[in-house]
Amino acid sequence: MTLTDVVPLSGKRPLTVRMATPRGFCAGVDRAIQIVERALEKFGAPVYVRHEIVHNKHVVERLKAMGAVFVKELDECPDDRPVVFSAHGVPKSVPATARAREMLFLDATCPLVSKVHVEAERHHANGRHIILIGHAGHPEVVGTLGQLPPGSISLVETVEDAEVFQRPGDAPLAYATQTTLSMDDTAEILATLKRRFPELPDPHKEDICYATTNRQEAVKRLGEGCDLVLVVGSKNSSNSVRLVEVALKAGAGAAELVDDASHVDWSWFEGVRTLGITAGASAPERLISELVEAVSARFDATVIEDDGARETVTFKLPRVLTA
């Protein structure tokens, strides 16, 4: 018999719980949620929000309860109520339509997504055709594609896409990426593109955002020594889905995405001695705490905070909300 086989006086099986650092909300998500909250305080309900402000159902439901109304397009919004654009960014046609209708709109686009938009415009102004590495249909990709005239950007999703991409005519090339991609997968796609088109310039700064990078690095450390990794986040959250993939690639015995503690299948814990917990950038800390409580109620849990990057980034709110 080993020490790990000994059942403590509590009658619960021992379990080591490693908490990834950093995890949960990033600065862009925090800013976007604050914009909706401050708009409700300043202008009263309802405040309309085009698309989910961030991809987390708990955040969306809480804001709905406060008076936010989530819509797919501007034609669902009245002219006389504020509308907030989601953190993922929007095509240029959206604010143009809002201005034409003389609407009060607040842009909650993450500043790091806006940086990609600016880079894309700069490349276009310099006559380059842009390769965008990202996932078709994701709101951030739709927003980036919508910054430039049709045909200015080609979307590449996989290494296979990169192998068959054809340069339009003799146009010089540039590339940009969705900010929430897997760093490793993106590196493979980019390596393929650079092999085929060695002249591809690097962006001024990496497009994959600091928060995505930090959370993926943190989950890699978890994956190296955990039998199971639980990622708190919604299924439509790109960065949360990537964390599951990264954990598995790093060596985790298993990895699962859960909206909250109620979605945990406790049969996953059979044979698990070390559990890793992290959360996507749009998942509130409350959900993480509730998951730890649920685990601790069933196991003799020893909770350990992993070392990781300490994030101090903050983004300013629109002036109309702070004046």
Side-chain angles (χ1 to χ4, degrees):
M1 178 179 291
T2 66
L3 288 176
T4 54
D5 294 321
V6 176
V7 178
L9 295 177
S10 66
K12 299 175 183 176
R13 179 162 66 82
L15 181 69
T16 299
V17 180
R18 289 174 54 192
M19 305 293 294
T21 302
R23 59 182 179 267
F25 276 2
C26 65
V29 164
D30 191 49
R31 173 180 180 270
I33 295 169
Q34 283 191 61
I35 287 173
V36 179
E37 292 171 342
R38 295 283 189 93
L40 285 164
E41 290 174 9
K42 183 160 186 170
F43 303 110
V47 167
Y48 288 77
V49 185
R50 184 185 178 276
H51 292 179
E52 291 188 353
I53 187 67
V54 297
H55 283 159
N56 185 273
K57 73 173 190 177
H58 288 274
V59 170
V60 169
E61 290 303 317
R62 185 178 71 83
L63 293 174
K64 279 183 181 178
M66 294 172 65
V69 177
F70 291 85
V71 299
K72 291 185 177 179
E73 297 298 342
L74 282 187
D75 58 16
E76 301 172 63
C77 304
D79 292 342
D80 61 348
R81 294 304 304 165
V83 60
V84 179
F85 302 151
S86 82
H88 310 100
V90 296
K92 276 191 171 180
S93 59
V94 174
T97 299
R99 289 188 191 96
R101 290 174 56 184
E102 299 184 344
M103 301 174 77
L104 171 61
F105 65 89
L106 299 161
D107 190 354
T109 300
C110 174
L112 299 178
V113 174
S114 297
K115 179 183 77 71
V116 175
H117 294 176
V118 170
E119 286 283 297
E121 289 186 295
R122 182 177 64 84
H123 287 309
H124 180 67
N126 289 333
R128 295 183 179 276
H129 182 83
I130 299 156
I131 302 167
L132 176 61
I133 303 172
H135 297 300
H138 188 280
E140 182 183 330
V141 167
V142 172
T144 301
L145 291 171
Q147 299 305 303
L148 299 175
S152 303
I153 305 178
S154 295
L155 182 62
V156 168
E157 296 188 77
T158 63
V159 169
E160 290 74 22
D161 289 346
E163 287 286 8
V164 300
F165 166 76
Q166 294 297 315
R167 182 201 305 266
D170 58 356
L173 299 173
Y175 79 91
T177 72
Q178 183 180 330
T179 63
T180 55
L181 298 180
S182 159
M183 297 180 295
D184 294 338
D185 290 349
T186 303
E188 290 180 26
I189 294 170
L190 186 54
T192 301
L193 289 170
K194 288 209 166 191
R195 172 174 52 77
R196 297 188 60 217
F197 308 102
E199 76 278 15
L200 265 177
D202 287 325
H204 286 172
K205 291 185 178 179
E206 288 300 321
D207 289 339
I208 296 177
C209 86
Y210 77 93
T212 297
T213 300
N214 289 345
R215 281 153 188 73
Q216 288 181 19
E217 290 293 345
V219 87
K220 281 182 183 179
R221 292 190 291 273
L222 287 186
E224 292 169 358
C226 290
D227 304 307
L228 171 66
V229 172
L230 295 181
V231 178
V232 180
S234 293
K235 288 181 173 60
N236 62 340
S237 166
S238 175
N239 76 85
S240 300
V241 172
R242 300 291 84 72
L243 290 176
V244 173
E245 297 170 354
V246 171
L248 290 171
K249 283 187 177 181
E256 300 288 347
L257 180 66
V258 294
D259 271 307
D260 52 52
S262 70
H263 287 77
V264 173
D265 181 343
W266 296 102
S267 69
W268 296 337
F269 284 72
E270 185 175 349
V272 171
R273 297 185 178 186
T274 302
L275 169 69
I277 292 179
T278 188
S282 48
E285 182 64 29
R286 171 181 64 83
L287 301 180
I288 306 165
S289 298
E290 290 172 358
L291 176 57
V292 173
E293 289 173 7
V295 169
S296 298
R298 289 165 176 81
F299 298 93
D300 183 35
T302 301
V303 180
I304 302 169
E305 286 277 351
D306 269 21
D307 288 332
R310 302 292 169 175
E311 296 175 349
T312 58
V313 176
T314 57
F315 295 128
K316 293 180 179 179
L317 298 178
R319 187 171 299 173
V320 67
L321 295 177
T322 58

